[in-house]
Amino acid sequence: MILASAGLPEGVDLSNTLLILGGICVVTVVLRALPFAAMKFFRESALVAWLGIVMPVGVMIVLVMYTLVDSTDKPGGVGAALIAVAFTVGLHLWKRSATWSILLGTALYVVLVNWVF
């Protein structure tokens, strides 16, 4: 078979490769669809509702702490991180927009680390 040798290393069979890729494809589709299928069971859950309220704040706290702790040995150091965090908090208190706060705070941090400090 001419396709079996086209571009494949020696000893690799095209049919086995296609079977493996097909299996990977099926598993990927099932894993991506599973949360949507499970959602109907958790829609009325008090735990899921509570997690929906506290998780965004918890994730942001973890990310801020990681940035501050990890910035001690990075360019710009803690100074750039603290300036960016203060700017982000101030912007959020002023505009009440998580999107703009995160976007502009991240942009300021990138500018401080790469061009200022």
Side-chain angles (χ1 to χ4, degrees):
M1 179 172 178
I2 195 139
L3 288 176
S5 63
L8 293 175
E10 179 104 16
V12 176
D13 184 28
L14 181 63
S15 60
N16 286 341
T17 303
L18 292 176
L19 284 172
I20 291 169
L21 289 174
I24 291 170
C25 179
V26 168
V27 168
T28 300
V29 169
V30 168
L31 288 176
R32 288 183 182 244
L34 195 60
F36 296 103
M39 190 59 141
K40 65 180 177 182
F41 299 111
F42 297 114
R43 194 170 305 276
E44 302 297 323
S45 171
L47 174 64
V48 172
W50 179 75
L51 287 174
I53 294 169
V54 298
M55 282 292 287
V57 174
V59 168
M60 289 305 296
I61 290 171
V62 168
L63 289 173
V64 167
M65 294 308 297
Y66 174 78
T67 300
L68 291 175
V69 169
D70 193 46
S71 65
T72 56
D73 59 345
K74 300 283 189 214
V78 179
L82 287 175
I83 291 169
V85 167
F87 173 79
T88 303
V89 168
L91 183 64
H92 187 71
L93 291 174
W94 177 44
K95 288 291 189 181
R96 298 285 184 200
S97 172
T99 304
W100 282 111
S101 302
I102 294 168
L103 180 69
L104 294 177
T106 303
L108 177 66
Y109 180 70
V110 169
V111 167
L112 290 173
V113 167
N114 288 305
W115 290 302
V116 177
F117 286 99

